[in-house]
Amino acid sequence: MADMDPDSTTQSAPVVDEGEPLFSNLDLFLFSLIVGLVIYWFMSRKQPEPIPEFKKLDTPAPTSRETSFIEKMKKTGKNIIVFYGSQTGTAEEFASRLAKDAQRYGMKGMAADPEEYSMGELARLAEIQNSLAIFCMATYGEGDPTDNAQDFYDWLQENDDEDLSGLNYTVFALGNKTYEHYNAMGKYVDKRLEELGAKRIFDLGLGDDDGNLEEDFISWREQFWPAVCEHFGVEASGDDSSIRQYELKVHTDVNMNKVYTGEIGRLKSFEVQKPPFDSKNPFLAPVTVNRKLNKAGDRHLMHLELDITGSKIRYESGDHVAVFPTNDSELVNKLGQILGVDLDVVISLNNLDEESNKKHPFPCPTTYRTALTHYLDITNPPRTNVLYELAQYASDPKDQENMRKMASSSPEGKALYQSWVLDSCRNILAILEDMPSLKPPIDHLCELLPRLQARYYSIASSSKVHPNSIHICAVVVEYETKTGRVNKGVATTWLKNKLVNGHKSTVPMYIRKSQFRLPFKASNPVIMIGPGTGIAPFMGFIQERGWLKEQGKDVGETVMYFGCRHKNEDYIYQEELEEAEKNEVLTQLNVAFSRDQAQKVYVQNHLKKNKEHVWKLIHTDNAHIYVCGDARNMAKDVQTAFYEIAEELGGMTRTQATDYVKKLMTKGRYSQDVWS
């Protein structure tokens, strides 16, 4: 372009005077600024952020306290672990006894809550020489696992490919023969562990609480340990001396704000309440109603209402309310007097095994008075291990001999324990009174007594109608023993004395979910059978069916079979039931007054009297059957009545009728909430 003649070149740009610059200084500055910003933005977008190099930290493995029972056993030299599935504390008690026994056989044992550990580690137990896992498994309700064993149960069900071939195990099951699914959980664990390759080293033990659970356990345990010795080639040390698990510390200078006064879990949890509320953090519910239900008679049937406003607690009809009672102060004071101790001394019982998750047998520090009032069971007959351990403190050799005999598995010992302790309903106070030479130190007694447990009641209300209130229906337990003493039920006596708006008229409580549920479809008929206080959950059912009707829902037939002794004495909730019948919430109300005529009449008699209607509801209309109350007699007699109706109107044999009812149970159309 430089060699060309300028005049012959075509100009497309406008002609500019050579003395005038193309851009002003301001234009150049702004242009440069914009270009610079664009370049900066572009470079900052594209350039990856440098990753700083950090020195690699050694991540500590989770502490053994969290989930690993294997690491804990290795660290503490234990080779026997006793897992417990416990709802009322008995299985936990048995587990502790077995763990303690191990010491007498040159082994070291620990009791363990399966909820606190990773049960997937069972396969690793083979890493520990001469190791053994013992399972003390209680069955709750209708064949269910206890709350703390639910995760373990789920794990057993879900892990088909688990190899437990290195695991040595045995199971002791706790149940009650009056229930349909007797010892279902223990039987399942025993069978399932074998299926997964584990080696059973001793037969499944079956404990029946309807008979003598303690005797069943002792008989099994007496044969179990020799089998363990033979399997592992060890010998009993022969040392039968008492082995303390806790040591006493008396606090002379302690801040009383740090002392437990009855709280179940967190210190001061009763002063500053924080949801969620559960078994370790109960809600203090004020009592708003406490009235006697029966018009006459020598019993006291009561209706209580607990206020749960602001607690965020939710419940469904059929759920259970668990309450934490306290022992009678008169019994506590008598124990203090007979043992000659100051009950208001502040103490701690500290576990001698520092690695144990269970630092204390109950919340510490506390006073003896608080322990005996809130934490320890002082009203039930003590188990044989308590008698065995306390025998050393009897100054009369004859008393010592009898106490040790009662703790043995000999026929004479079993008979003596049955008659002197169980049949005579002797609690620890009665034993101390009737055996004056027995003077145990109170700290050892507190170590040995089992924990006072929550009591469960079927909720007698519907949350649809009473979202901020929970109703309880109960009969006060009171009876005279063979020794002439009057024994009173811990929880019912305590509830009876809860005055509305009175001092301390609150109840520590939480909700336990239940499978006892109304049908999903409101149009399904329901047949409810609940004599006496067995009516409790059905008051909630009736309220809920009434509420559903008010919402315009299609509600099926609602039939009630209630029973009591006398119409003029203990026909509880009579007004409410008759009102429900009048409003056609109850389509049929059948009441059996067992003692108002010469011939006793029960709910099962009314069922058979109405057999055609009952059979139509069940067989044609898809009705759901609910039974609540006494397991030992009533529930069995009612079931037999259904067998007979199926035989007669369904043309079945007894075997077919039994299978028919069993299928209703499997489908969830025959539900029971029973106790013995």
Side-chain angles (χ1 to χ4, degrees):
M1 292 288 285
D3 296 334
M4 276 186 187
D5 184 348
D7 291 337
S8 64
T9 308
T10 307
Q11 298 285 336
S12 58
V15 178
V16 180
D17 191 308
E18 287 182 2
E20 187 181 337
L22 186 63
F23 297 106
S24 71
N25 288 338
L26 180 62
D27 291 336
L28 288 168
F29 171 74
L30 289 172
F31 180 74
S32 302
L33 183 66
I34 290 165
V35 168
L37 287 170
V38 168
I39 291 168
Y40 176 78
W41 177 81
F42 185 80
M43 294 297 288
S44 65
R45 288 252 309 173
K46 292 292 180 188
Q47 192 169 343
E49 283 187 28
I51 299 168
E53 280 196 29
F54 293 108
K55 184 183 177 187
K56 191 173 179 186
L57 297 173
D58 291 329
T59 311
T63 60
S64 57
R65 185 173 301 283
E66 287 171 14
T67 59
S68 178
F69 62 84
I70 296 293
E71 298 311 316
K72 177 170 279 193
M73 289 175 76
K74 286 179 177 178
K75 189 176 178 182
T76 55
K78 306 269 192 343
N79 62 334
I80 290 182
I81 185 161
V82 195
F83 292 105
Y84 56 85
S86 189
Q87 197 72 29
T88 62
T90 308
E92 182 179 358
E93 203 185 318
F94 285 179
S96 297
R97 286 162 69 175
L98 289 166
K100 208 170 176 182
D101 280 346
Q103 202 165 322
R104 296 195 172 103
Y105 297 90
M107 300 178 177
K108 288 185 80 177
M110 64 179 268
D113 183 343
E115 200 171 34
E116 292 182 5
Y117 294 103
S118 169
M119 297 306 283
E121 285 200 326
L122 280 173
R124 288 185 59 204
L125 208 55
E127 295 172 18
I128 297 171
Q129 193 176 6
N130 283 358
S131 62
L132 170 66
I134 307 170
F135 297 85
C136 288
M137 306 307 292
T139 299
Y140 185 78
E142 293 305 301
D144 301 320
T146 56
D147 290 350
N148 77 311
Q150 183 66 55
D151 290 346
F152 175 44
Y153 176 74
D154 293 342
W155 180 82
L156 284 173
Q157 284 197 308
E158 292 159 9
N159 288 275
D160 284 332
D161 55 351
E162 196 71 35
D163 178 14
L164 298 182
S165 54
L167 173 68
N168 296 311
Y169 81 96
T170 192
V171 179
F172 183 80
L174 297 83
N176 188 311
K177 268 207 174 110
T178 59
Y179 288 80
E180 184 74 25
H181 305 281
Y182 173 57
N183 269 325
M185 184 58 183
K187 289 173 181 174
Y188 174 75
V189 170
D190 180 62
K191 174 172 153 284
R192 186 66 177 139
L193 290 173
E194 184 181 44
E195 286 172 357
L196 296 175
K199 182 178 181 183
R200 183 191 297 107
I201 70 157
F202 190 66
D203 296 338
L204 167 69
L206 297 175
D208 178 19
D209 202 26
D210 186 47
N212 186 334
L213 186 59
E214 177 72 10
E215 186 177 308
D216 294 337
F217 176 68
I218 291 172
S219 299
W220 178 84
R221 174 173 161 249
E222 200 83 3
Q223 298 171 62
F224 164 69
W225 283 114
V228 171
C229 290
E230 188 179 337
H231 182 84
F232 293 118
V234 296
E235 288 184 15
S237 64
D239 179 16
D240 277 351
S241 61
S242 173
I243 301 163
R244 290 294 298 264
Q245 191 177 346
Y246 299 93
E247 64 178 351
L248 172 68
K249 178 174 173 56
V250 177
H251 301 279
T252 50
D253 183 22
V254 65
N255 180 351
M256 292 308 284
N257 283 324
K258 301 285 175 70
V259 176
Y260 283 87
T261 56
E263 304 95 325
I264 307 301
R266 178 175 51 87
L267 187 69
K268 303 295 176 192
S269 62
F270 287 167
E271 289 176 26
V272 183
Q273 293 255 279
K274 294 177 185 173
F277 297 105
D278 55 27
S279 60
K280 294 183 175 63
N281 181 37
F283 176 66
L284 282 183
V287 178
T288 55
V289 173
N290 186 351
R291 63 184 172 93
K292 187 176 180 180
L293 285 170
N294 50 316
K295 304 178 190 76
D298 54 2
R299 296 186 303 160
H300 185 102
L301 292 106
M302 57 188 171
H303 171 90
L304 284 94
E305 297 182 15
L306 309 180
D307 185 2
I308 56 169
T309 305
S311 66
K312 297 184 179 173
I313 288 172
R314 299 286 175 265
Y315 74 95
E316 298 289 333
S317 303
D319 282 345
H320 298 133
V321 57
V323 303
F324 289 92
T326 58
N327 288 312
D328 187 343
S329 59
E330 191 182 333
L331 291 180
V332 173
N333 288 333
K334 278 185 181 175
L335 273 171
Q337 287 163 11
I338 205 163
L339 294 172
V341 293
D342 177 1
L343 293 176
D344 296 309
V345 171
V346 179
I347 58 108
S348 287
L349 286 178
N350 300 323
N351 202 320
L352 291 164
D353 178 1
E354 291 180 2
E355 293 299 321
S356 174
N357 280 14
K358 194 174 182 180
K359 297 299 179 191
H360 316 283
F362 42 78
C364 291
T366 191
T367 64
Y368 286 125
R369 184 182 305 281
T370 300
L372 292 169
T373 303
H374 293 273
Y375 300 138
L376 296 171
D377 184 345
I378 61 173
T379 58
N380 271 319
R383 298 199 182 277
T384 57
N385 66 305
V386 177
L387 300 181
Y388 182 87
E389 298 262 355
L390 293 182
Q392 62 187 305
Y393 303 116
S395 54
D396 183 338
K398 186 70 180 166
D399 287 345
Q400 268 200 33
E401 184 192 334
N402 281 334
M403 289 179 79
R404 290 211 167 103
K405 186 189 284 183
M406 284 190 279
S408 75
S409 61
S410 71
E412 303 81 25
K414 287 179 182 177
L416 184 60
Y417 177 72
Q418 181 69 44
S419 62
W420 198 77
V421 177
L422 298 182
D423 295 345
S424 301
C425 303
R426 277 186 172 89
N427 57 30
I428 190 63
L429 177 61
I431 286 170
L432 291 169
E433 286 174 340
D434 293 347
M435 219 175 249
S437 89
L438 180 60
K439 297 288 179 191
I442 190 168
D443 61 294
H444 198 181
L445 182 66
C446 288
E447 175 180 324
L448 292 169
L449 289 173
R451 280 291 293 267
L452 182 61
Q453 299 293 329
R455 285 0 189 219
Y456 298 89
Y457 296 95
S458 300
I459 296 176
S461 53
S462 164
S463 59
K464 300 285 193 299
V465 182
H466 300 283
N468 294 314
S469 180
I470 283 173
H471 300 182
I472 294 174
C473 166
V475 58
V476 177
V477 176
E478 190 172 314
Y479 59 93
E480 187 173 319
T481 72
K482 288 181 178 179
T483 64
R485 294 178 172 92
V486 174
N487 280 5
K488 296 178 180 181
V490 177
T492 53
T493 304
W494 170 75
L495 286 171
K496 179 189 173 187
N497 295 326
K498 288 285 174 186
L499 305 174
V500 177
N501 301 322
H503 177 56
K504 286 191 175 176
S505 66
T506 54
V507 171
M509 52 72 66
Y510 69 96
I511 298 298
R512 188 183 194 281
K513 293 294 175 189
S514 165
Q515 300 302 314
F516 202 71
R517 288 277 183 268
L518 278 168
F520 180 72
K521 285 169 67 179
S523 56
N524 284 122
V526 298
I527 302 170
M528 304 173 291
I529 302 143
T533 55
I535 196 174
F538 303 133
M539 296 310 296
F541 282 15
I542 292 164
Q543 288 170 16
E544 189 144 327
R545 301 279 273 192
W547 180 85
L548 288 166
K549 280 194 83 167
E550 284 175 12
Q551 305 304 304
K553 295 279 181 1
D554 175 20
V555 179
E557 284 197 53
T558 306
V559 180
M560 179 79 227
Y561 285 87
F562 173 66
C564 60
R565 295 176 183 180
H566 302 282
K567 183 175 185 178
N568 296 326
E569 279 188 14
D570 52 356
Y571 185 1
I572 59 176
Y573 297 115
Q574 180 178 356
E575 293 79 9
E576 290 92 330
L577 291 171
E578 290 176 353
E579 181 72 14
E581 187 182 33
K582 184 177 144 193
N583 295 335
E584 297 182 352
V585 173
L586 273 180
T587 49
Q588 194 182 98
L589 174 61
N590 306 280
V591 187
F593 304 109
S594 62
R595 302 181 188 184
D596 273 352
Q597 59 285 309
Q599 182 95 20
K600 286 187 179 174
V601 176
Y602 298 110
V603 284
Q604 59 267 24
N605 301 121
H606 278 276
L607 278 169
K608 285 193 275 191
K609 191 173 84 177
N610 299 331
K611 60 192 174 189
E612 285 84 5
H613 181 235
V614 168
W615 182 246
K616 177 185 176 291
L617 288 177
I618 300 168
H619 197 61
T620 310
D621 300 342
N622 207 35
H624 286 233
I625 302 162
Y626 300 91
V627 182
C628 183
D630 164 52
R632 187 177 285 112
N633 298 310
M634 181 277 297
K636 285 183 174 176
D637 292 341
V638 164
Q639 208 163 307
T640 302
F642 281 116
Y643 294 158
E644 290 171 359
I645 291 168
E647 280 180 84
E648 188 180 341
L649 298 174
M652 302 178 189
T653 64
R654 175 53 66 97
T655 305
Q656 289 170 328
T658 305
D659 288 343
Y660 182 85
V661 172
K662 290 278 193 314
K663 273 180 188 156
L664 291 177
M665 290 177 174
T666 307
K667 289 176 183 172
R669 282 183 52 206
Y670 191 123
S671 303
Q672 299 186 93
D673 182 1
V674 293
W675 56 84
S676 66

